[in-house]
Amino acid sequence: MKTILASLIFFLAFNLQTNAQEFLTYTVKQDDTATSLAKRFNTTIQEIYRFNPDAKNGLRKGAVLVIPKSTFAQNNTANSKDRTPKTFKTHKVKRKETLYSLSKEYNVTVDEIKRYNKWLYAEQLKRKDKIRIPVYPNVVISDTQTVEDPRFIIKEEPVVKIVRTPSGKTTHTVQAKEGKYGISRKYGMTIAELEAMNPDMEEPIQPGQVLNVKGEASTESTVITDERFTFYEVKPKENFFRLEQRFNISEDSLIALNPKLEEGLKVGMIIKIPKKNTSIAFGNDEIVNLEASIRNYDAKTVALLLPFNSHKITNDSLSNTEERIKRDRVMRISLDFYSGALVALEEGKQKGLSTTLRVFDTEQSTSKVRAIINDNNFNDVDVVVGPLLNSSVEEASALLNRKDIPVISPLSSRKANGRENLIQSRPTDDMLHEVMLSYLEAMHTDQNIVILADDNASSIKSLIISKFPTASTLKKQEDNFVYQNDVSKQLVSGKDNWFIVATEDVALLSNLLSYLNAFRSKHNIQLFALEKTSAFDSEDVSNDHLSNLKFTFPSVDKEFDYENKAKFIIDYNAKYGIAPNKYAVRGYDIMYDTLLRLANSDTYMESLENNIATEYIENKFSYVENGISGYMNNGIYIMQYGENLTLKPVE
């Protein structure tokens, strides 16, 4: 009775303040939800909550609700198919607008928009599309925004875990094939809330088990019988754009599959989505294919700043130029990177992306970088790739920050101290160490861990010991070798023996591997490193030994199978007559990722805010904010030598 009176008092008070707006009352039935009532009375969930604040805590059978009669409902009682537009309004689609949002804005249905824009039956709505919006008699459409009275705006409340007491709990009896995801979705709960309310819940849950739940049960099915779909838990910072990218589904379709999304997208929500084959990177970054969702075909301008050192070869003959290029490593790297970038631009062109590339020679000089930026107009530049050196990157970042032009550092592994427009595309060595340690922690149970580290690798050794305090140290002898007997004493029978090595000494590494390989017949041994130093690539270090010991290490790139007839390999061979090296591949990967990010957002920086991970030939890009210094790429692989000398990412 108190609830009914409260609703009626609120209704009366509000009615006096809204100039006799028409209302009706409704008694809640067993299966009613805010969503179903909003559809039934042609209003919104927000409006129902606005006039019935208690409804936000759930609809109870028998409760009396105050329902506003919408203008649409009053003036259009006939079926929408019978309505005849008085005129049409042309609307240019803006970023993030959907058919659903436009239908709410103009007080028409999605079907009515499609009826007068028939191409929308077959294609998705895209930014800058011009569509016809029907305008019906007695429905006024204005270009001005309506500002709600701030006294009656319903603010979004933070998600709070609520655990009911036994006296007030609602229970659900688990049926056959039901799981936590389906049950959580049915009651509008998160997995965390369901688990908190049922600390003794079996894993997996069993039919007949009685679970504590909260809220009224919706009509949502707890089981998906269509193999094309599955359940998904919304992650922090995810929005409709990221879900569209990840699952290749429009916002309208997501809402159709999940009516609760009309109330907004929230962390922990369980939604129904189409299954999709995706690659999973370490750290559970789900790889997004940006080629499938290009939406911005505006012409772009990219500036490439590399130390070609052309001033050194101006007067050289062809033979002298070739010889100089062979001797100048920085020049070779720049040319290789540039060659891969050109192939990426051509592939972008085939996708309909128009890009102007402006190339500058930085001559390995910070002052030259400063002169390039000061003496040239960068106002039309969307993004800068380069320079290579940290000092030059920092200079470019500082000079271009005031123009809001992002600067991508393509190769440096040292952390740069740039401005908020700096994007470090190569993970730092410290990031490699952290990711590898996290991997080892996740895999560790009771393994026997042994450390062998150079004197100049004391910081790495300290990192390992901080994570694994019981690890022992294999000491080197005065001649910088290890003895067979010392290695044997470190091994424990019946356990997995992990040797974590941090050395740049080729002789020491080869010496250790020969002993470990010999002991494999009686012991389980695996080799790890927090970074793969140049010693591991020496001809004096046996790849067979690395393979036998399943050598595992972190890497910024994965080994690409050049026998694979991938489009990039074919295009590169056709253009240059040779196979691409790692710098050419990186040039391609960075440039192609840059083009696709620009084609999926209004700006490059906006694409980083969407928290998506991408992957190409050898590199992946998963950017995270780096405080006031822009963004850093934490796209790191855990690589492992396998049988037949194969080298592949750990699954």
Side-chain angles (χ1 to χ4, degrees):
M1 178 62 69
K2 287 183 179 179
T3 302
I4 296 174
L5 286 174
S7 296
L8 290 175
I9 291 170
F10 183 83
F11 156 66
L12 179 61
F14 204 95
N15 193 29
L16 292 173
Q17 297 177 23
T18 51
N19 298 319
Q21 180 178 352
E22 292 187 44
F23 296 86
L24 55 87
T25 57
Y26 175 79
T27 302
V28 176
K29 305 295 190 301
Q30 177 66 42
D31 296 326
D32 284 336
T33 65
T35 300
S36 66
L37 293 179
K39 288 182 177 179
R40 176 173 179 175
F41 293 105
N42 209 7
T43 185
T44 65
I45 294 171
Q46 287 74 20
E47 285 293 282
I48 292 177
Y49 289 161
R50 184 180 177 190
F51 293 99
N52 305 273
D54 291 341
K56 289 192 290 182
N57 298 322
L59 299 183
R60 294 201 316 277
K61 181 180 178 181
V64 177
L65 301 181
V66 176
I67 307 293
K69 289 184 179 180
S70 68
T71 303
F72 183 86
Q74 294 174 51
N75 296 325
N76 300 284
T77 56
N79 188 292
S80 64
K81 290 184 179 180
D82 299 330
R83 298 202 297 170
T84 302
K86 179 177 67 175
T87 184
F88 289 91
K89 176 180 175 64
T90 300
H91 178 92
K92 187 176 181 180
V93 179
K94 296 184 283 292
R95 184 171 64 86
K96 294 187 179 181
E97 286 186 326
T98 66
L99 288 175
Y100 175 79
S101 68
L102 292 176
S103 70
K104 295 299 182 185
E105 178 180 350
Y106 291 111
N107 213 4
V108 296
T109 68
V110 170
D111 284 339
E112 285 172 328
I113 297 176
K114 287 185 175 181
R115 188 180 311 142
Y116 299 104
N117 303 272
K118 296 190 181 299
W119 52 273
L120 288 175
Y121 285 109
E123 299 179 25
Q124 296 287 342
L125 189 69
K126 297 189 294 294
R127 190 173 72 92
K128 294 188 177 180
D129 281 344
K130 290 184 178 180
I131 61 175
R132 300 170 71 209
I133 302 292
V135 179
Y136 296 98
N138 301 322
V139 177
V140 179
I141 295 179
S142 157
D143 289 327
T144 60
Q145 289 187 327
T146 301
V147 181
E148 292 183 276
D149 188 327
R151 293 172 297 174
F152 306 109
I153 292 178
I154 304 234
K155 295 184 179 179
E156 188 89 17
E157 297 294 334
V159 177
V160 180
K161 293 182 179 179
I162 301 174
V163 181
R164 294 189 176 187
T165 60
S167 60
K169 69 183 180 183
T170 302
T171 60
H172 174 89
T173 302
V174 179
Q175 305 299 312
K177 297 183 179 181
E178 283 188 333
K180 291 190 294 185
Y181 279 82
I183 294 171
S184 298
R185 181 173 185 255
K186 185 175 185 67
Y187 291 92
M189 302 171 63
T190 67
I191 293 292
E193 288 173 326
L194 184 64
E195 291 176 342
M197 294 182 69
N198 299 275
D200 299 324
M201 182 168 52
E202 297 179 31
E203 292 288 350
I205 57 177
Q206 301 297 321
Q209 185 177 359
V210 178
L211 300 179
N212 296 323
V213 294
K214 68 171 187 175
E216 297 293 332
S218 70
T219 57
E220 303 287 356
S221 173
T222 58
V223 179
I224 293 181
T225 56
D226 191 329
E227 294 183 356
R228 296 173 300 170
F229 298 93
T230 187
F231 289 127
Y232 177 77
E233 183 176 4
V234 178
K235 305 295 190 301
K237 294 187 177 181
E238 281 191 319
N239 51 27
F240 278 111
F241 174 77
R242 187 172 185 185
L243 293 177
E244 288 177 26
Q245 298 283 327
R246 174 169 290 178
F247 301 111
N248 195 25
I249 183 174
S250 68
E251 181 176 339
D252 295 316
S253 298
L254 278 171
I255 293 173
L257 288 170
N258 306 275
K260 281 186 176 293
L261 288 179
E262 290 183 359
E263 304 173 33
L265 190 66
K266 298 177 183 177
V267 174
M269 289 182 73
I270 307 301
I271 60 175
K272 181 180 177 182
I273 50 94
K275 289 181 179 179
K276 178 183 176 185
N277 294 325
T278 54
S279 301
I280 305 299
F282 182 75
N284 294 324
D285 289 329
E286 193 162 357
I287 303 302
V288 173
N289 177 16
L290 294 180
E291 290 179 327
S293 54
I294 294 174
R295 60 177 65 188
N296 184 352
Y297 288 93
D298 293 347
K300 306 295 190 302
T301 299
V302 177
L304 184 64
L305 277 64
L306 295 175
F308 295 105
N309 293 334
S310 57
H311 63 293
K312 296 181 179 180
I313 60 174
T314 304
N315 299 318
D316 284 353
S317 64
L318 180 59
S319 59
N320 288 340
T321 298
E322 292 175 349
E323 187 60 33
R324 182 177 291 278
I325 292 174
K326 290 179 182 178
R327 295 197 310 268
D328 192 328
R329 181 172 179 271
V330 173
M331 189 186 299
R332 291 201 313 274
I333 291 174
S334 298
L335 291 171
D336 289 332
F337 187 94
Y338 178 51
S339 68
L342 290 179
V343 175
L345 287 165
E346 291 178 3
E347 188 162 341
K349 185 177 180 180
Q350 294 169 13
K351 296 287 192 300
L353 306 179
S354 176
T355 308
T356 298
L357 183 68
R358 297 172 61 187
V359 184
F360 299 92
D361 183 0
T362 62
E363 299 179 3
Q364 286 182 259
S365 167
T366 301
S367 60
K368 180 65 175 178
V369 170
R370 188 183 308 115
I372 289 171
I373 295 174
N374 289 334
D375 297 343
N376 293 273
N377 185 1
F378 275 72
N379 290 335
D380 64 336
V381 172
D382 293 283
V383 64
V384 170
V385 178
L388 296 189
L389 303 181
N390 253 22
S391 57
S392 298
V393 166
E394 292 169 356
E395 181 73 15
S397 171
L399 292 171
L400 294 172
N401 185 52
R402 59 177 177 265
K403 297 179 182 291
D404 292 326
I405 299 175
V407 176
I408 302 174
S409 175
L411 294 178
S412 178
S413 61
R414 287 179 49 241
K415 185 176 180 180
N417 296 313
R419 306 296 176 86
E420 56 266 29
N421 64 331
L422 176 62
I423 295 91
Q424 190 149 350
S425 69
R426 189 191 189 282
T428 64
D429 290 340
D430 287 342
M431 295 172 72
L432 293 175
H433 301 163
E434 291 171 7
V435 166
M436 190 64 200
L437 282 172
S438 297
Y439 171 78
L440 291 171
E441 274 192 300
M443 300 296 292
H444 181 254
T445 51
D446 65 342
Q447 291 86 353
N448 171 47
I449 298 178
V450 183
I451 305 169
L452 176 63
D454 288 342
D455 295 337
N456 59 2
S458 58
S459 60
I460 293 180
K461 181 178 177 181
S462 297
L463 279 175
I464 300 170
I465 293 175
S466 68
K467 297 292 185 183
F468 307 104
T470 60
S472 60
T473 300
L474 176 60
K475 294 182 179 179
K476 298 178 292 182
Q477 299 301 320
E478 292 181 0
D479 53 3
N480 215 33
F481 275 73
V482 292
Y483 293 164
Q484 183 175 5
N485 190 48
D486 292 337
V487 176
S488 177
K489 289 179 181 179
Q490 296 287 348
L491 297 170
V492 177
S493 298
K495 277 191 174 185
D496 291 334
N497 295 274
W498 286 3
F499 278 75
I500 306 177
V501 180
T503 182
E504 295 182 356
D505 190 321
V506 175
L508 175 63
L509 180 60
S510 179
N511 170 222
L512 172 67
L513 295 188
S514 63
Y515 291 143
L516 294 181
N517 197 64
F519 287 128
R520 282 180 54 252
S521 60
K522 296 183 179 180
H523 297 277
N524 295 324
I525 305 172
Q526 189 169 355
L527 183 71
F528 299 91
L530 266 60
E531 64 177 272
K532 186 185 180 186
T533 64
S534 58
F536 289 93
D537 293 321
S538 171
E539 293 180 356
D540 295 326
V541 173
S542 170
N543 283 328
D544 286 322
H545 289 171
L546 294 175
S547 180
N548 292 337
L549 296 168
K550 295 183 180 179
F551 175 46
T552 307
F553 60 95
S555 176
V556 299
D557 49 39
K558 61 181 179 179
E559 183 175 288
F560 181 71
D561 181 7
Y562 288 93
E563 297 301 318
N564 187 329
K565 299 302 181 184
K567 186 178 188 305
F568 167 67
I569 303 299
I570 296 173
D571 291 346
Y572 194 93
N573 267 305
K575 188 175 182 67
Y576 301 109
I578 57 173
N581 62 17
K582 65 177 183 179
Y583 296 110
V585 173
R586 187 156 183 82
Y588 170 86
D589 283 354
I590 289 179
M591 184 60 72
Y592 199 47
D593 180 65
T594 300
L595 299 181
L596 289 179
R597 285 178 182 270
L598 287 171
N600 275 265
S601 304
D602 287 343
T603 66
Y604 183 86
M605 297 302 288
E606 181 184 292
S607 76
L608 303 184
E609 296 170 1
N610 292 322
N611 298 310
I612 59 174
T614 55
E615 183 180 45
Y616 303 96
I617 306 301
E618 285 190 349
N619 301 271
K620 67 182 174 185
F621 306 96
S622 179
Y623 290 105
V624 293
E625 289 190 63
N626 183 33
I628 61 173
S629 297
Y631 287 79
M632 296 189 73
N633 178 22
N634 68 354
I636 296 172
Y637 296 98
I638 302 295
M639 303 297 294
Q640 185 177 94
Y641 279 80
E643 296 180 357
N644 302 319
L645 303 180
T646 57
L647 180 59
K648 295 182 178 180
V650 173
E651 295 183 357

